[in-house]
């Protein structure tokens, strides 16, 4: 006989069976969904060999267009808040006593109409600040720098601040920081034991702990006179700066070398072109010049 | 009533199954849910800006579950279709092409970006310099780094990468100068220290190179996955391990070379 107990037993069985089937179906569908492997770009693990085979590792921190990169991580001008206002950052944020940091800031107006930033000041220091900018500071104590100003339309400008922490201790617990430094045109190296070692005299000056590169070469090339009677010789002089070598030639057979000189040419009997070609001390640089000497024509009256 | 109870129980069990699966394989569920939401939102607002914003979201390792470079590319492409003069779409597509190693296409896209927007998106010159560098066009890369640095003279990566092309052009003294200045502000930066090591070595300052190499090794050991992603934005969140290993191994290999030379 079919009664309520039987009915509920049957329905419960169907319920359990249906549930199990449904869960299996869902699981099958979801496990069929494949996630792709990680995307490995060309710059992951990329290194480039230097001239002597060391491994240079380029980065790409500053790739993002404005307002989309990690604020401050690359050291570029910090992004102002998306809702408007200002942002100010310091690089580095911690310095040792006597060191320096760079403040960098930007502003953005977001509101009705338009407005420009004015009366910008960074204190302490009474630093005049434009809408965006940077400035070196050298606080002797931990200092909080605040950017204030106003919007030209009278809207409220919210100041922003950054703290530069000054620590009296050198990193590494009191030892010297090994580094190069300049004294005049001489390059020295201070090691971690604070001992100075003379490296070299820089032929083109010294700055920021390194010899400066030579400048691009220049030459002063003269041929005198440039209008002569046939059979006359001319004087060729040349000199310059940051030259490694020069070669002077003419299409009349003259040839001299040297980074400077004064020479007398062969007798000029026709138009003659003198050419100077110099290699500069700066790797890959060169400079060329030429001068033409003309011969006064002789009229042969018939 | 029984059927109603049955259906309710079945529905609850279905949701529980999906939820349990989601806990184990959360990425799939989240990505699917995000995708569905984006499709819905774009149906109502298929604007260039919305497409671009979604593209940017999928191109950011900060949001691991969102990262999907193919989807980002599709969204940026759609943004560009709707606004051919979009301020950043060509830039982002160029970055994606670069990351995929398609330098020719990357160059075309970034040139279009620069043609449209010139210096208003100065990072485009940085991207083009990177592309040129990876193509081996170090002279062209140097020019673009110089132009970029005339606007943003403070970013550490531009200093590091400019030094890279200077070193490739056999100008180690110039590289020393650039890196020494940047290290004043980023004294613990592993990339700068590694490049500085190389520049000093190639400029003939072995002892100084050895000293900087030690600092570079220490700094590279401290590079976190977050720091690596900040240094290489747009990369997959799951590749940071390989990237961190690369800078660490480069620093160690350079020290080895220096020590061999000093023997």
């Amino acid at each position: 006989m079919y009664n309520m107990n039987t009915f509920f037993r049957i329905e419960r069985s169907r319920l359990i069976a249906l549930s199990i089937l449904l869960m299996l179906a869902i699981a099958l569908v979801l496990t069929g969904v494949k996630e792709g492997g990680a995307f490995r770009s060309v710059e992951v693990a990329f290194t480039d060999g230097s001239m002597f085979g060391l491994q240079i590792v380029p980065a790409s921190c500053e790739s993002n267009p404005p307002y989309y990169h990690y604020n401050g991580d690359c050291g570029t001008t910090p992004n102002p808040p998306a809702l408007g206002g200002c942002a100010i950052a310091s690089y580095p944020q911690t310095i040792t006593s006597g060191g320096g940091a760079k403040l960098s800031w930007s502003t953005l107006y977001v509101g009705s109409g338009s407005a420009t930033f004015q009366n910008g000041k960074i204190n302490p220091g009474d630093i005049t600040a434009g809408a965006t900018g940077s400035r070196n500071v050298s606080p002797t104590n931990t200092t909080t720098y605040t950017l204030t100003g106003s919007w030209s339309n009278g809207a409220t400008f919210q100041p922003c601040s950054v703290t530069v922490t000054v620590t009296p201790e050198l990193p590494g617990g009191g030892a010297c920081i090994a580094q190069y430094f300049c004294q005049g045109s001489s390059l020295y190296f201070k090691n971690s034991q604070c001992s100075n070692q003379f490296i070299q005299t820089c032929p083109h000056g010294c700055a920021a702990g390194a010899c400066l590169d030579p400048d691009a070469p220049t030459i002063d090339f003269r041929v005198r006179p440039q209008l002569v009677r046939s059979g006359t010789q001319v004087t060729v002089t040349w000199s310059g700066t940051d030259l490694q070598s020069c070669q002077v030639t003419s299409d009349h057979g003259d040839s001299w070398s040297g980074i400077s000189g004064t020479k007398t040419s062969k007798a000029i009997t026709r138009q003659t072109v003198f050419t100077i070609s110099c290699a500069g001390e700066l790797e890959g640089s060169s400079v060329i010049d030429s001068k033409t000497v003309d011969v006064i024509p002789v009229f042969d009256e018939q | 009533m029984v059927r109603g109870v049955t259906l309710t129980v079945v529905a609850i069990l279905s949701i529980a199954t999906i939820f349990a699966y989601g806990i184990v394989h959360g990425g799939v569920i989240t990505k699917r849910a995000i995708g569905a939401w984006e499709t819905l939102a774009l149906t109502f607002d298929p604007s260039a800006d919305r497409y671009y914003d979604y593209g940017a979201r999928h191109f950011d390792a900060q949001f691991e579950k969102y990262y999907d470079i193919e989807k980002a590319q599709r969204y940026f492409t759609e943004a560009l279709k709707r606004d051919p003069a979009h301020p950043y779409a060509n830039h982002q597509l160029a970055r994606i092409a670069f990351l995929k190693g398609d330098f020719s296409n990357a160059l075309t896209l970034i040139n279009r970006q620069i043609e449209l927007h010139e210096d208003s998106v100065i990072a485009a010159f940085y991207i083009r310099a990177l592309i040129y560098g990876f193509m081996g066009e170090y002279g062209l890369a140097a020019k673009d780094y110089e132009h970029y640095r005339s606007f943003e003279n403070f970013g550490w990566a531009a200093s590091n990468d400019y030094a890279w092309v200077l070193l490739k052009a056999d100008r180690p003294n110039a590289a020393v100068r650039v890196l020494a200045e940047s290290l004043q502000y980023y004294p613990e930066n592993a990339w700068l220290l590694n490049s500085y090591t190389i520049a000093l070595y190639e400029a003939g300052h072995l002892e100084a190179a050895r000293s900087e190499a030690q600092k570079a090794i220490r700094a590279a050991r401290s590079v976190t996955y977050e720091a690596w992603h900040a240094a290489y934005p747009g990369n997959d969140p799951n590749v940071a391990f390989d990237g961190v290993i690369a800078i660490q191994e480069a620093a160690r290999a350079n020290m080895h070379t220096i020590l061999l030379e000093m023997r």
Side-chain angles (χ1 to χ4, degrees):
Chain A
M1 187 175 175
Y2 193 79
N3 59 24
M4 289 305 289
N5 284 336
T6 307
F7 174 78
F8 279 118
R9 243 195 338 269
I10 294 168
E11 284 301 316
R12 190 174 60 202
S13 304
R14 282 181 185 161
L15 176 65
I16 291 168
L18 196 57
S19 302
I20 290 169
L21 280 171
L22 189 60
M23 282 192 285
L24 274 172
I26 291 170
L28 273 170
V29 167
L30 290 178
T31 50
V33 175
K34 288 189 173 51
E35 281 197 71
F39 168 69
R40 196 183 162 82
S41 78
V42 294
E43 61 178 3
V44 175
F46 173 81
T47 64
D48 201 1
S50 71
M51 301 298 274
F52 287 85
L54 279 77
Q55 295 182 27
I56 310 168
V57 185
S60 59
C61 194
E62 293 154 55
S63 302
N64 264 309
Y67 312 119
Y68 286 98
H69 64 61
Y70 304 107
N71 204 1
D73 286 344
C74 306
T76 48
T77 307
N79 303 329
L83 296 177
C86 68
I88 185 168
S90 167
Y91 304 103
Q93 287 186 296
T94 300
I95 61 174
T96 54
S97 182
K102 180 168 273 192
L103 301 180
S104 184
W105 66 90
S106 65
T107 59
L108 174 71
Y109 174 75
V110 173
S112 57
S114 63
T116 53
F117 180 67
Q118 57 190 23
N119 305 317
K121 283 281 183 206
I122 296 174
N123 280 297
D126 196 34
I127 300 166
T128 301
T132 182
S134 62
R135 177 70 71 92
N136 286 342
V137 293
S138 299
T140 51
N141 299 303
T142 296
T143 304
T144 297
Y145 292 90
T146 301
L147 170 64
T148 59
S150 58
W151 297 116
S152 56
N153 64 359
T156 305
F157 178 81
Q158 195 64 33
C160 50
S161 302
V162 67
T163 299
V164 180
T165 303
V166 179
T167 169
E169 304 251 337
L170 282 169
C176 278
I177 299 171
Q179 61 185 306
Y180 280 89
F181 64 96
C182 297
Q183 270 192 358
S185 291
S186 297
L187 180 66
Y188 288 82
F189 177 67
K190 183 197 296 289
N191 64 17
S192 56
Q193 284 76 46
C194 306
S195 155
N196 294 340
Q197 177 195 350
F198 171 75
I199 301 296
Q200 66 173 104
T201 299
C202 301
H204 302 282
C206 186
C211 286
L212 294 173
D213 278 341
D215 290 328
T218 64
I219 52 168
D220 181 8
F221 182 52
R222 298 174 198 228
V223 177
R224 296 278 160 81
Q226 285 185 263
L227 182 63
V228 299
R229 294 183 193 282
S230 181
T232 307
Q233 292 169 301
V234 296
T235 303
V236 180
T237 59
W238 69 96
S239 63
T241 59
D242 298 292
L243 298 172
Q244 193 176 67
S245 64
C246 291
Q247 185 73 27
V248 180
T249 56
S250 76
D251 55 8
H252 198 50
D254 299 293
S255 180
W256 308 288
S257 60
I259 60 172
S260 66
T262 301
K263 299 290 180 187
T264 304
S265 73
K266 294 179 178 157
I268 306 287
T269 56
R270 56 175 168 80
Q271 185 184 63
T272 303
V273 178
F274 290 85
T275 302
I276 183 169
S277 175
C278 298
E281 286 188 343
L282 185 64
E283 188 73 29
S285 65
S286 63
V287 61
I288 295 173
D289 195 5
S290 63
K291 296 279 190 271
T292 303
V293 177
D294 289 305
V295 177
I296 298 169
V298 174
F299 295 97
D300 200 6
E301 288 192 26
Q302 296 289 328
Chain B
M1 189 190 87
V2 173
R3 289 196 196 284
V5 168
T6 305
L7 286 169
T8 304
V9 170
V10 167
I12 290 170
L13 284 171
S14 303
I15 291 167
T17 305
I18 294 170
F19 187 71
Y21 188 89
I23 290 171
V24 176
H25 299 284
V28 171
I29 303 300
T30 313
K31 275 188 180 167
R32 296 248 154 185
I34 292 164
W37 170 252
E38 287 173 353
T39 304
L40 188 65
L42 287 166
T43 304
F44 290 100
D45 176 26
S47 64
D49 282 345
R50 185 173 286 276
Y51 270 110
Y52 180 82
D53 285 345
Y54 287 161
R57 182 160 67 180
H58 289 290
F59 195 31
D60 190 339
Q62 265 194 314
F63 308 109
E64 187 177 335
K65 297 275 184 278
Y66 285 79
Y67 186 86
D68 187 335
I69 197 166
E70 298 300 334
K71 191 172 271 190
Q73 185 172 2
R74 281 199 301 274
Y75 281 150
F76 289 139
T77 305
E78 289 298 320
L80 208 53
K81 275 187 200 162
R82 285 154 178 78
D83 180 5
H86 191 280
Y88 311 126
N90 279 302
H91 181 106
Q92 299 288 46
L93 286 168
R95 286 180 63 210
I96 290 172
F98 163 72
L99 291 174
K100 287 183 172 181
D102 186 356
F103 300 136
S104 171
N105 189 26
L107 202 53
T108 302
L109 287 160
I110 204 66
N111 279 335
R112 196 175 307 150
Q113 169 73 26
I114 290 172
E115 194 186 312
L116 284 170
H117 302 292
E118 297 179 347
D119 294 339
S120 66
V121 184
I122 196 61
F125 288 89
Y126 177 77
I127 291 293
R128 193 167 69 176
L130 263 180
I131 296 166
Y132 277 140
F134 272 71
M135 290 172 74
E137 297 282 0
Y138 301 113
L140 294 172
K143 283 196 167 60
D144 276 344
Y145 281 128
E146 284 156 12
H147 183 70
Y148 173 78
R149 291 176 86 241
S150 69
F151 284 78
E152 282 281 5
N153 63 352
F154 204 46
W156 68 262
S159 296
N160 181 73
D161 296 354
Y162 182 42
W164 162 41
V165 300
L166 288 172
L167 287 167
K168 294 298 289 189
D170 197 19
R171 295 181 59 190
N173 284 326
V176 166
R177 195 162 56 242
V178 166
L179 292 162
E181 188 182 352
S182 194
L183 277 163
Q184 289 178 70
Y185 303 106
Y186 309 100
E188 308 292 326
N189 184 286
W191 288 269
L192 289 176
L193 286 166
N194 183 63
S195 297
Y196 195 42
T197 299
I198 299 167
L200 288 167
Y201 178 84
E202 307 219 333
H205 308 304
L206 256 61
E207 180 57 46
R210 190 188 62 79
S211 176
E212 296 301 321
Q214 276 178 333
K215 287 199 267 182
I217 289 172
R218 271 200 303 272
R221 266 197 231 122
S222 307
V223 171
T224 61
Y225 291 170
E226 289 73 26
W228 189 88
H229 276 302
Y232 298 93
N235 275 277
D236 193 302
N238 297 305
V239 301
F241 175 79
D242 291 341
V244 169
I245 292 293
I247 181 69
Q248 290 175 349
E249 284 186 349
R252 276 197 291 271
N254 292 339
M255 173 64 106
H256 181 68
T257 303
I258 292 166
L259 290 175
L260 281 176
E261 182 66 24
M262 290 179 82
R263 259 207 246 149

